[in-house]
């Protein structure tokens, strides 16, 4: 595959790509974004843990210090995608009749209207209520916990991948200068998302592979390109970018022959091996 080396600004002597300030700043900026994802993932995990611990403490405190009385189920609501459902319970406290909602969980038994339940309430605030079987966790608290917990398991892998990738790019960029190569970018449908693929070079020596990106929005910078800057061996991972300042991507061939042939067929020709 034919590439054109890009000389430095000092007499045309080729220098490692990392020696270009713009390149180094771009990779370091990418690494900082990974660290931000990691920090966000840790914070979200902490928030989820705090919500879970506080809900457990509140429920246990009420079970330990609350007043017990008999109640009756007046309504049953079945759960959906974001809720396990709830029941309405009517009970008497200090000669006053109350009716409060009790949120259910995945382990809750099946309730029916008219069923007797043992209610535990706070004498100073009877709306703070649970039963001996149901902790009555806040629906909002459960929702926030679920969002924070799931989001942390998205942010942490993304951050780890970005930081590790930036470290690998820095090693590659310190060894070789930038070169230029002709490029063609395509997007193949892959279920609900897309598979970005690149052809680098032309003719029988062209290389076809995918580009890795943690965020789909970054791929838009590849769509109009006819040439890319490149560092690395196309038989393995290579760093590619529309310009020396980024955004940077990693070019890889597939280890699966069937998938590799499908990518090559998308450009209308099989590649020589």
């Amino acid at each position: 595959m034919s590439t054109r080396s890009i000389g430095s600004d000092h007499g045309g002597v080729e220098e490692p790509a990392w020696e270009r300030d713009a390149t180094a700043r771009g990779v370091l900026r990418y690494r900082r974004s990974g660290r931000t994802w990691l920090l966000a993932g840790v914070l979200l995990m902490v928030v989820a843990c705090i919500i879970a611990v506080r809900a457990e403490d509140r429920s246990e405190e009420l079970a330990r210090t609350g007043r017990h009385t008999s109640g009756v189920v007046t309504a049953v609501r079945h759960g959906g995608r974001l809720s396990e459902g709830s029941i309405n319970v009517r009970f008497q406290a200090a000669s006053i009749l109350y009716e409060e909602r009790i949120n259910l969980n995945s382990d809750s038994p099946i309730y029916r209207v008219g069923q007797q339940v043992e209610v535990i309430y706070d004498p100073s605030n009877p709306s703070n209520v649970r039963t001996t079987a149901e902790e009555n966790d806040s629906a909002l608290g459960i929702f926030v916990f679920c969002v924070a917990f799931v989001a942390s398991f998205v942010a942490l892998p993304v951050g780890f991948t970005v930081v590790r990738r930036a470290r690998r790019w820095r090693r590659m960029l310190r060894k070789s200068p930038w070169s230029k190569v002709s490029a063609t970018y395509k997007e193949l449908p892959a279920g609900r998302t897309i598979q970005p693929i690149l052809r680098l070079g032309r003719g029988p020596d062209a290389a076809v592979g995918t580009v890795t990106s943690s965020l789909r929005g970054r791929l838009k910078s590849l769509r109009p390109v006819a040439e890319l800057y490149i560092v690395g061996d196309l038989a393995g991972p290579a760093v590619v970018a529309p310009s020396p300042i980024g955004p940077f991507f990693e070019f890889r061939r597939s280890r699966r022959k069937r998938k590799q042939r499908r990518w090559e067929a998308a450009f209308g020709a099989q590649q020589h091996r």
Side-chain angles (χ1 to χ4, degrees):
M1 185 191 68
S2 175
T3 60
R4 304 193 306 279
S5 296
I6 308 300
S8 73
D9 296 330
H10 307 288
V13 179
E14 294 182 9
E15 62 181 359
W18 185 258
E19 296 302 319
R20 289 173 172 252
D21 290 341
T23 296
R25 285 197 302 269
V27 175
L28 293 176
R29 186 166 54 247
Y30 183 74
R31 186 181 66 180
R32 283 196 299 270
S33 72
R35 290 177 174 177
T36 300
W37 278 98
L38 284 174
L39 178 61
V42 171
L43 291 177
L44 287 167
M45 182 66 73
V46 170
V47 168
C49 290
I50 290 174
I51 292 173
V53 170
R54 291 188 64 181
E56 186 71 20
D57 289 347
R58 184 197 68 83
S59 179
E60 289 181 355
E61 176 71 14
L62 183 58
R64 185 171 58 254
T65 63
R67 189 165 297 173
H68 291 238
T69 188
S70 178
V72 61
V73 176
T74 59
V76 178
R77 299 176 186 85
H78 299 290
R81 295 179 61 184
L82 300 177
S83 170
E84 298 293 341
S86 64
I87 57 175
N88 276 21
V89 174
R90 184 179 298 148
F91 63 97
Q92 190 170 349
S95 302
I96 300 175
L97 202 61
Y98 293 90
E99 184 169 336
E100 300 292 342
R101 174 180 291 191
I102 307 289
N103 293 311
L104 307 180
N105 58 55
S106 58
D107 297 324
S108 296
I110 298 175
Y111 291 93
R112 66 182 186 278
V113 174
Q115 180 177 340
Q116 295 288 321
V117 293
E118 186 174 355
V119 174
I120 308 173
Y121 67 94
D122 182 352
S124 62
N125 179 22
S127 63
N128 182 14
V129 61
R130 58 166 292 175
T131 70
T132 52
E134 307 295 344
E135 296 182 350
N136 192 23
D137 294 325
S138 165
L140 178 60
I142 293 173
F143 175 77
V144 174
F145 167 81
C146 291
V147 170
F149 190 75
V150 171
S152 69
F153 275 87
V154 173
L156 288 172
V158 169
F160 178 76
T161 299
V162 169
V163 170
R164 186 176 61 176
R165 190 179 292 156
R167 186 181 298 120
R168 182 166 60 244
W169 291 353
R170 183 173 59 180
R171 289 197 302 266
M172 297 169 65
L173 293 167
R174 280 176 169 171
K175 293 179 179 179
S176 304
W178 284 116
S179 298
K180 270 190 174 182
V181 62
S182 59
T184 306
Y185 174 77
K186 285 190 176 184
E187 294 177 351
L188 300 180
R192 295 184 177 180
T193 183
I194 54 98
Q195 175 72 66
I197 58 174
L198 271 178
R199 181 178 64 189
L200 300 179
R202 293 191 175 90
D205 294 328
V208 174
T210 188
V211 286
T212 56
S213 177
S214 302
L215 297 174
R216 183 173 174 176
R218 296 179 72 247
L219 296 171
K220 63 183 181 181
S221 62
L222 295 175
R223 291 169 187 156
V225 300
E227 285 187 325
L228 286 175
Y229 288 79
I230 182 171
V231 168
D233 184 358
L234 294 184
V239 183
V240 296
S243 75
I245 65 174
F248 303 98
F249 302 89
E250 192 165 292
F251 174 85
R252 286 180 177 270
R253 295 169 63 89
S254 177
R255 295 178 180 178
R256 299 179 180 179
K257 293 183 178 180
R258 184 176 179 181
K259 179 180 287 188
Q260 181 66 33
R261 286 195 296 266
R262 185 166 67 90
W263 293 350
E264 293 167 354
F267 291 101
Q270 297 293 313
Q271 308 298 312
H272 292 284
R273 289 174 173 74

